[in-house]
Amino acid sequence: MRIDRIELRLIEMPLLAPFETSFGVETVEEHLIVRVDGDGITGWGECVASEGPWYSYETNQTAWHVLRDFLIPFVFENELRAPQDFPKLAARVRGHNMAKAGLEAALWDWFAKGQEKSLAQMFHAAQQIERDSKIPEKITVGVSVGLQSSAQELVARVRGFLDEGYTRIKIKIKPGRDVELVRALRAEFPHIRLQVDANSAYTLADTDVFRAMDDANLLLIEQPLSNDDIFQHIKLQRELKTAICLDESIHSADDAEAALQMGACRIINIKPGRVGGFTQAIKIHDLAAQHNAPVWCGGMLESGIGRAGNVAIASLPNFTLPGDLSASRRYFRQDIVEPEFQVDTEGMMRVPTGGGIGVQIVMKNLDAVTQSSQLFRR
Ligand code: OSB
Ligand code: MG
């Protein structure tokens, strides 16, 4: 069992519609694809850093540098017996969780294919709670809707997604475009599962904004205050009935424990990329279960490669809230995997059952979106 070739690609996939958040607008999704080869098996992973350091400090350029100069050599200089061996080696690198997670994902796929198991089977075997839990055939998924030009436009967009079958809607908010949007949606759709995501755009001085939406029956308020903050979220959560959910602030199971134990949030958004990979994501899932805190899987507008891993991890038992896992068509004209991810009329998505990520890479589509690539050998 030995990996002797690793390839990095920078890909650019145009989004069907611009995605606007409190930190900016994206029109093209730029990610890194990691391919590992050895023993006749190929593993694939996606690194969810972006073109700019807006959501986190990582960019595709920092991820490429950290992968090329540090993380890829770790794989060539050591014998890995399981995917969980990689984060132990990678721990020597401080931070750069997205770079780590992209390579770890490719290793999980490679090991899973070697054992003829699906990623969902691998993750269920690795978790510590409910070891005998069954892998669901399908999971309930949601859609994350970016800021629109007006409240009416947002209502129309949301109606479209509800008509497609989605049963949980998340909207992005930013100062000046918040309570009004929640009110407009509640007037049209009083009973839908609705939540908001601020992407760190507010301060404690804005507490009244959140009080004003506290009676709107929201599932949660995601990352209202500063990225990396725990302390101020404790103060805000004390003022609200609605659960706070942390995204940007949680980089590890230790962060999750601090936040849950001290009451900074009641729910955690798990993004494998943000926490350094599936190994750490499973630890957070287990820890949250011990705290009776629900988790759900966040998204980074992934291609089908990253989406496959997210869907597999979202099949674990404590992922009790629908994730930001939408159909390939919600993002892109054409995905780079086959079959594409689809959502049925009940708002559910199938969990792949094939080996590893359980979807095939469409090489001509991948080649068409590749901007640059580099090959590394043991
Ligand atoms: O905060 O959850 C977020 C996309 C890019 C960066 C941050 C976030 C998001 C999303 C998109 O909300 C979710 C998806 O992939 O559909
Ligand atoms: Mg978020």
Side-chain angles (χ1 to χ4, degrees), residues 32-73:
L32 303 186
I33 298 298
V34 185
R35 171 182 174 157
V36 303
D37 281 283
D39 295 340
I41 295 170
T42 300
W44 297 91
E46 180 166 347
C47 166
V48 298
S50 334
E51 150 275 329
W54 320 128
Y55 167 79
S56 84
Y57 64 81
E58 289 188 84
T59 70
N60 290 315
Q61 294 308 307
T62 68
W64 192 289
H65 158 57
V66 170
L67 281 158
R68 180 192 60 207
D69 297 329
F70 305 105
L71 300 175
I72 290 173

Side-chain angles (χ1 to χ4, degrees), residues 19 21 23 26 29 31 48 50 55 98 142-146 168 170 172 197-199 222-223 247-248 269 271 274 296-302 307 310 323-326 330-331:
F19 188 75
T21 65
F23 60 78
E26 286 187 66
E29 208 43 45
H31 282 167
V48 298
S50 334
Y55 167 79
M98 292 173 178
V143 61
S144 172
V145 188
R168 191 232 62 183
K170 155 169 146 182
K172 295 289 187 180
D197 187 0
N199 288 111
E222 185 176 345
Q223 196 71 37
D247 174 353
E248 284 90 330
N269 163 333
K271 288 179 184 169
R274 194 193 67 231
W296 55 282
C297 185
M300 293 294 287
L301 311 172
E302 288 91 345
R307 193 164 310 280
N310 286 354
D324 283 346
L325 300 166
S326 310
R330 180 262 176 275
Y331 309 95

Side-chain angles (χ1 to χ4, degrees), residues 228-242:
D228 292 350
D229 167 77
I230 303 260
F231 182 56
Q232 295 182 11
H233 282 97
I234 301 173
K235 295 188 186 176
L236 182 62
Q237 181 67 92
R238 282 191 198 134
E239 302 297 316
L240 302 174
K241 290 180 292 186
T242 311

Side-chain angles (χ1 to χ4, degrees), residues 145-337:
V145 188
L147 287 156
Q148 305 295 314
S149 55
S150 67
Q152 299 91 286
E153 193 56 42
L154 178 65
V155 168
R157 282 287 279 175
V158 167
R159 191 187 309 283
F161 287 122
L162 294 170
D163 288 345
E164 283 177 40
Y166 292 99
T167 58
R168 191 232 62 183
I169 302 290
K170 155 169 146 182
I171 62 159
K172 295 289 187 180
I173 56 169
K174 70 185 265 190
R177 293 159 83 184
D178 38 47
V179 184
E180 167 220 354
L181 301 180
V182 171
R183 289 205 180 119
L185 285 171
R186 273 299 179 228
E188 287 293 315
F189 315 111
H191 304 301
I192 59 166
R193 287 193 275 193
L194 181 65
Q195 60 193 56
V196 297
D197 187 0
N199 288 111
S200 305
Y202 296 84
T203 70
L204 279 175
D206 302 308
T207 301
D208 279 346
V209 171
F210 299 104
R211 283 203 191 99
M213 53 178 89
D214 210 15
D215 287 319
N217 193 25
L218 299 176
L219 281 175
L220 56 91
I221 296 170
E222 185 176 345
Q223 196 71 37
L225 310 178
S226 195
N227 67 299
D228 292 350
D229 167 77
I230 303 260
F231 182 56
Q232 295 182 11
H233 282 97
I234 301 173
K235 295 188 186 176
L236 182 62
Q237 181 67 92
R238 282 191 198 134
E239 302 297 316
L240 302 174
K241 290 180 292 186
T242 311
I244 290 179
C245 168
L246 290 179
D247 174 353
E248 284 90 330
S249 291
I250 306 297
H251 307 282
S252 64
D254 288 345
D255 287 348
E257 184 166 30
L260 289 172
Q261 201 139 313
M262 297 195 289
C265 65
R266 297 190 205 126
I267 299 172
I268 290 175
N269 163 333
I270 297 182
K271 288 179 184 169
R274 194 193 67 231
V275 303
F278 295 126
T279 306
Q280 195 65 211
I282 295 166
K283 284 206 178 101
I284 297 175
H285 161 269
D286 293 349
L287 177 114
Q290 286 164 4
H291 287 262
N292 289 314
V295 300
W296 55 282
C297 185
M300 293 294 287
L301 311 172
E302 288 91 345
S303 80
I305 294 177
R307 193 164 310 280
N310 286 354
V311 174
I313 202 156
S315 76
L316 291 177
N318 194 40
F319 279 84
T320 51
L321 291 171
D324 283 346
L325 300 166
S326 310
S328 302
R329 289 283 159 82
R330 180 262 176 275
Y331 309 95
F332 313 110
R333 195 179 58 77
Q334 197 171 43
D335 208 335
I336 55 176
V337 303

